[in-house]
Amino acid sequence: MATNSIIDTSRLAGKRAGRNAPKGRAVDARALEAVRALLGDAPRRRDLLIEFLHRIQDAHGSISAAHVVALAQEMRLSMTEVYEVATFYHHFDVVKEGESAPPPITVRVCETLSCRMAGADELRTALAGLDAGAVRVIGAPCIGRCEHAPAAVVGRNPIDAASAEKIAAAIEAGRIEPVLPAYVELDAYRGAGGYRTLKACVEGERSVEAVIAELENSALRGLGGAGFAAGRKWRIVRAEKAPRMMAVNIDEGEPGTFKDRYYLERDPHRFLEGMLIAAWAVEIESIYVYLRDEYAACRALLTRELDALARDPPCPLPRIELRRGAGAYICGEESAMIESIEGKRGMPRLRPPYVAQVGLFGRPTLEHNMETLYWVRDILEKGATWFASQGRRERKGLRSFSVSGRVVKPGVHLAPAGISVRELIDEYCGGMLPGHEFYAYLPGGASGGILPASLGDVALDFDTLQPHGCFIGSAAVIILSQHDRARDAALNLMQFFADESCGQCTPCRVGTEKAAGLMAKPRWDLALLNDLSQAMADASICGLGQAAPNPIACVLKYFPHELDGGEQVNR
């Protein structure tokens, strides 16, 4: 049927034929030139998206809408892909059109439990007078310096035992970059026998079977929190089809945890040698080291030492890439970390398949915490019996406890597995602070629950705390005194979980926020909190949501007196 068209089809055809750019916002020529200059000759691979966002953020102090558009064109990605990644991570400041860029200097004050107990709120108040035009002060989740609470970061420069005066002085002097700590460099490490064990492996003096058996006999378990047997993991991944990948987790975002930073700042090659031995044993093609963004000094020294190792390697090396996190606690979960390494939002994957089968870039992947690899050299040189015989109460091995809170000597304390928290305080931490009595403790950071002093003689190790509704995790121990309340600690932890939830699953995204709101009220609605806890534990797809209810359950079980006096609602 003939019709009278009101559309000039010749003009429409001309427009269609003339379009040679993707739909959407036009690319700003200056922004594109700036992005190309920052990227240089780096390959425009999808997995480098987060690295490229860091380059823009570092150079300009923020990421503008024009930068997003230019980066999307340069990488042949949609603007949505770039934007959703940039806005997922805390450390990227994405500035929308019409908004002002943030001030040139950002001060982050840690507001998680150890720092809150040490006066972080008062510090935030004292910093209110800083020049808002040149400085912004924001709260931050745990920055991994709990032994120096309250801690803050000026730019990328950490300020230990922070005060308004210290922070103001750093700003005045322009000290916004970290100072590298004194550490064992490559020449010194080699001079003390470093990399001889790796060479013995590569040159056939040690067999793969003998090395893996030594790891198995030592009872070394994953020290990032899960506690999976290290030797068994090597066997599992080695049995998968090549090529195989390796991902090293140094995200260390669990509140109260700082052991990985402690070892990296002192003896990085001991970790690197263990990493390379694992790569040799499992026949790894490529290694990706994922380091949290808060550890700028560690990133600088690892970059330096990896470059030195590449110039003078003790043996042929696999490809090693150091990847930079961007402020997301969830990326401590192994599959979320892998998503982040691939340049995506750090959202946990559904399992199975497990990362040992389908991990980085779809390949079998050996995933390890940094400290697990740190012990490989010592175990092989001193023997499995040396390591396994260290424990107390029939437990095996050594544990690096990150201790903070109301003790005289907070810090990383290397102690026998199975030690009790009371022994840890008395033998390693110099006792409680003057005027403080031992009241309660967190045996495993934010996720591990809260126990009363009456359970201070329980062995601290994998599998020993579960009967009490807790777990050791990465051995982040936070000590509370009679001046603290477990319910306040639980609220602080729930607020952390709510802020750090990736938002992928509703039980965690909604449950943590709702629970934090209920816990902030003088009267706890116990029935509703129990319902929320059950939903989070049962239906969350990763450990964040599954473990978030632990502090609530512990308060109700061990500290009901803190809710007495009409301060709860029972329905």
Side-chain angles (χ1 to χ4, degrees), residues 358-387:
V358 181
L360 267 171
F361 310 112
R363 303 308 311 166
T365 300
L366 178 67
E367 191 275 343
H368 265 314
N369 170 256
M370 173 265 166
E371 196 207 345
T372 311
L373 298 167
Y374 183 88
W375 290 111
V376 168
R377 175 192 165 189
D378 280 348
I379 289 171
L380 294 181
E381 291 182 355
K382 298 178 182 180
T385 302
W386 163 79
F387 188 80

Side-chain angles (χ1 to χ4, degrees), residues 224 249 251-253 290 328-337 367:
N249 191 338
D251 192 60
E252 196 168 49
Y290 189 86
Y329 165 72
I330 193 63
C331 290
E333 196 276 340
E334 61 178 5
S335 65
M337 176 189 67
E367 191 275 343

Side-chain angles (χ1 to χ4, degrees), residues 463-486:
D463 313 319
T464 60
L465 296 161
Q466 281 84 340
H468 306 286
C470 296
F471 55 83
I472 192 171
S474 57
V477 179
I478 304 176
I479 306 298
L480 279 59
S481 78
Q482 81 276 19
H483 299 297
D484 307 304
R485 294 199 304 174

Side-chain angles (χ1 to χ4, degrees), residues 28 103 111 143 163 229 396 406:
D28 181 274
E111 55 188 9
I143 60 175
S163 65
K396 295 182 178 181
R406 311 298 191 180

Side-chain angles (χ1 to χ4, degrees), residues 42-341:
R44 272 48 169 175
R45 299 199 318 258
R46 176 66 172 81
D47 63 289
L48 292 173
L49 174 57
I50 292 173
E51 297 297 309
F52 293 160
L53 287 168
H54 273 302
R55 294 188 188 186
I56 298 171
Q57 175 80 33
D58 290 347
H60 297 278
S62 61
I63 301 169
S64 69
H67 288 135
V68 170
V69 176
L71 183 59
Q73 173 161 308
E74 188 66 12
M75 296 188 70
R76 297 297 185 261
L77 297 172
S78 70
M79 286 179 281
T80 299
E81 288 178 278
V82 176
Y83 181 79
E84 70 179 9
V85 171
T87 53
F88 181 85
Y89 296 93
H90 295 314
H91 291 183
F92 294 139
D93 292 306
V94 181
V95 181
K96 299 177 182 177
E97 288 185 352
E99 292 182 346
S100 299
I105 296 176
T106 295
V107 177
R108 289 183 165 88
V109 178
C110 178
E111 55 188 9
T112 322
L113 184 57
S114 297
C115 287
R116 182 69 62 84
M117 291 164 60
D121 290 343
E122 293 79 4
L123 178 59
R124 285 286 300 275
T125 301
L127 293 173
L130 287 177
D131 181 10
V135 178
R136 66 169 173 171
V137 180
I138 60 176
C142 185
I143 60 175
R145 307 192 74 84
C146 318
E147 79 273 44
H148 303 300
V153 182
V154 176
R156 282 181 285 272
N157 179 27
I159 307 295
D160 295 336
S163 65
E165 292 75 20
K166 282 186 176 181
I167 291 171
I171 294 171
E172 179 69 23
R175 295 195 299 270
I176 62 173
E177 296 295 336
V179 176
L180 265 64
Y183 66 91
V184 180
E185 299 183 27
L186 177 58
D187 288 345
Y189 182 75
R190 273 188 165 144
Y195 290 110
R196 285 191 307 199
T197 301
L198 172 62
K199 289 186 69 175
C201 292
V202 173
E203 294 172 1
E205 296 177 29
R206 291 176 181 260
S207 69
V208 170
E209 176 57 36
V211 167
I212 294 180
E214 199 77 17
L215 265 289
E216 291 173 329
N217 293 335
S218 72
L220 177 67
R221 297 173 66 168
L223 298 173
F228 195 88
R232 184 182 171 205
K233 183 181 285 190
W234 290 18
R235 286 196 190 278
I236 290 171
V237 179
R238 181 179 169 83
E240 295 290 330
K241 185 178 179 180
R244 306 176 195 93
M245 304 290 190
M246 185 173 182
V248 182
N249 191 338
I250 323 181
D251 192 60
E252 196 168 49
E254 182 75 14
T257 310
F258 45 91
K259 62 183 178 61
D260 292 353
R261 172 185 59 79
Y262 176 89
Y263 288 124
L264 275 178
E265 289 180 342
R266 288 158 176 79
D267 198 359
H269 284 281
R270 192 170 299 270
F271 145 65
L272 291 174
E273 183 169 9
M275 178 185 80
L276 291 169
I277 291 170
W280 161 81
V282 185
E283 297 181 355
I284 296 296
E285 179 183 87
S286 300
I287 301 173
Y288 291 80
V289 179
Y290 189 86
L291 179 69
R292 71 179 306 198
D293 195 32
E294 289 84 350
Y295 290 173
C298 291
R299 185 169 65 253
L301 71 85
L302 271 178
T303 299
R304 175 187 292 181
E305 296 309 306
L306 285 171
D307 287 346
L309 200 60
R311 288 194 300 270
D312 186 17
C315 62
L317 302 177
R319 185 164 65 95
I320 304 171
E321 290 199 25
L322 178 60
R323 289 298 179 87
R324 180 178 173 185
Y329 165 72
I330 193 63
C331 290
E333 196 276 340
E334 61 178 5
S335 65
M337 176 189 67
I338 285 173
E339 289 286 296
S340 189
I341 291 173

